[in-house]
């Protein structure tokens, strides 16, 4: 039986695809040489910002990060809850589940949206990329949550939208549910886990009907 429900943030709770890609593109064209296609930037949704910067060999890191933040301020109004997600969080909290968030964002970046969307009351624990030495897909983030919350792997269900999330859960011995509403290519994500189409599907998992 699950007692702990963990969520990724981007593309699981919040639809942040446009925000992330437009902000990265905004920073890239203002600080780097050459051009880049926005479609090719979809991979950044699965990685911490610093990892994405390394993969693209970003130069002038300080200037890039400044422009990234400017992009976030420009496009933040495009972010919204996925349909049904806010209602799901309210219900799970009311039913007494211990809820946590495990995200590839830094704590500063995550807190910006937790405060803006009034999500702090839902989550007893927040594990960010700068809270661990090895972020997702390494299982350290889930180990840290379980250590802090006192949960055992069999009591934890992690919901995310990427292969990185699925691998993180598998390595930690934690069950995983794929947020099909946010996954960019759900069919390509491999592993044994629950595949959810809409947030409401989670009720079936928790009731043993899925």
């Amino acid at each position: 039986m699950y007692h702990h429900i963990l969520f990724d943030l981007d593309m699981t709770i919040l639809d942040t695809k446009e925000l992330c890609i437009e902000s990265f593109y905004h920073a890239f064209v203002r600080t780097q040489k050459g051009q880049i296609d926005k479609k090719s930037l979809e991979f950044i949704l699965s990685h911490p910002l610093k990892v994405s910067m390394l993969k693209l060999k970003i130069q002038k890191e300080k200037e890039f990060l400044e422009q990234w933040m400017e992009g976030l301020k420009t496009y933040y109004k495009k972010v919204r809850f996925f349909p049904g997600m806010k209602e799901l969080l309210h219900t799970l909290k009311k039913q007494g589940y211990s809820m946590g968030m495990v995200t590839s964002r830094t704590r500063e970046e995550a807190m910006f949206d937790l405060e803006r969307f009034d999500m702090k009351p839902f989550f007893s624990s927040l594990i960010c990329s700068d809270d661990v030495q090895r972020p997702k897909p390494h299982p350290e983030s889930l180990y840290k949550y379980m250590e802090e919350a006192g949960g055992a792997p069999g009591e934890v269900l992690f919901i995310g939208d990427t292969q990185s999330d699925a691998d993180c859960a598998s390595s930690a011995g934690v069950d995983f549910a794929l947020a099909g509403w946010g996954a960019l290519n759900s069919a390509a994500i491999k592993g044994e886990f629950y595949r959810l189409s809409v947030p409401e599907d989670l009720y079936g998992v928790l009731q043993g009907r899925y």
Side-chain angles (χ1 to χ4, degrees), residues 25-32 60 63 67 75:
Y25 183 81
H26 173 98
F28 189 95
V29 299
R30 286 164 175 77
T31 63
Q32 309 300 303
K60 303 178 181 178
E63 292 89 341
Q67 289 298 323
Y75 297 104

Side-chain angles (χ1 to χ4, degrees), residues 118-149:
D118 194 26
M119 286 190 283
K120 290 174 65 177
F122 294 124
F123 299 103
S124 59
S125 182
L126 172 63
I127 310 297
C128 302
S129 62
D130 49 357
D131 293 323
V132 294
Q133 294 295 318
R134 294 159 294 185
K136 297 181 295 185
H138 193 278
E140 184 180 350
S141 297
L142 293 183
Y143 290 153
K144 185 174 180 64
Y145 171 84
M146 289 187 283
E147 180 181 357
E148 291 182 354

Side-chain angles (χ1 to χ4, degrees), residues 167-196:
D167 291 344
C168 177
S170 177
S171 296
V174 165
D175 285 351
F176 180 69
L178 180 67
W181 56 88
L184 297 181
N185 186 1
S186 58
I189 298 176
K190 305 302 181 185
E192 294 186 11
F193 44 74
Y194 303 107
R195 292 181 180 267
L196 312 181

Side-chain angles (χ1 to χ4, degrees), residues 7-9 13 99-103 114 119 123 125-127:
F7 290 88
D8 179 38
L9 176 57
I13 293 177
M99 292 195 291
M101 182 179 291
V102 177
T103 175
L114 261 69
M119 286 190 283
F123 299 103
S125 182
L126 172 63
I127 310 297

Side-chain angles (χ1 to χ4, degrees), residues 8-189:
D8 179 38
L9 176 57
D10 294 293
M11 303 306 292
T12 298
I13 293 177
L14 296 178
D15 185 350
T16 56
K17 178 180 177 181
E18 192 169 357
L19 170 73
C20 293
I21 291 177
E22 291 290 355
S23 297
F24 201 101
Y25 183 81
H26 173 98
F28 189 95
V29 299
R30 286 164 175 77
T31 63
Q32 309 300 303
K33 295 180 180 179
Q35 298 294 316
I36 193 166
D37 179 60
K38 290 181 183 178
K39 181 71 175 177
S40 70
L41 292 177
E42 289 185 351
F43 82 94
I44 71 173
L45 299 170
S46 305
H47 300 286
L49 177 60
K50 290 294 184 70
V51 172
S52 299
M53 291 171 64
L54 284 172
K55 287 180 176 290
L56 289 174
K57 300 179 180 179
I58 295 296
Q59 305 297 315
K60 303 178 181 178
E61 289 188 15
K62 183 174 182 293
E63 292 89 341
F64 183 90
L65 289 171
E66 289 173 352
Q67 289 298 323
W68 161 261
M69 293 304 297
E70 285 299 315
L72 292 179
K73 294 174 184 176
T74 300
Y75 297 104
Y76 80 94
K77 291 182 180 178
K78 296 181 179 293
V79 178
R80 55 186 55 83
F81 281 105
F82 280 103
M85 180 53 68
K86 192 171 184 179
E87 294 79 4
L88 174 67
L89 295 177
H90 275 289
T91 299
L92 294 177
K93 185 72 173 179
K94 186 176 181 180
Q95 291 177 345
Y97 288 99
S98 177
M99 292 195 291
M101 182 179 291
V102 177
T103 175
S104 294
R105 291 200 201 185
T106 64
R107 182 164 292 269
E108 180 182 8
E109 292 169 342
M111 288 303 298
F112 177 78
D113 273 337
L114 261 69
E115 292 173 354
R116 185 159 68 98
F117 288 96
D118 194 26
M119 286 190 283
K120 290 174 65 177
F122 294 124
F123 299 103
S124 59
S125 182
L126 172 63
I127 310 297
C128 302
S129 62
D130 49 357
D131 293 323
V132 294
Q133 294 295 318
R134 294 159 294 185
K136 297 181 295 185
H138 193 278
E140 184 180 350
S141 297
L142 293 183
Y143 290 153
K144 185 174 180 64
Y145 171 84
M146 289 187 283
E147 180 181 357
E148 291 182 354
E155 300 173 332
V156 178
L157 178 66
F158 180 36
I159 300 127
D161 65 291
T162 66
Q163 186 70 61
S164 176
D165 294 327
D167 291 344
C168 177
S170 177
S171 296
V174 165
D175 285 351
F176 180 69
L178 180 67
W181 56 88
L184 297 181
N185 186 1
S186 58
I189 298 176

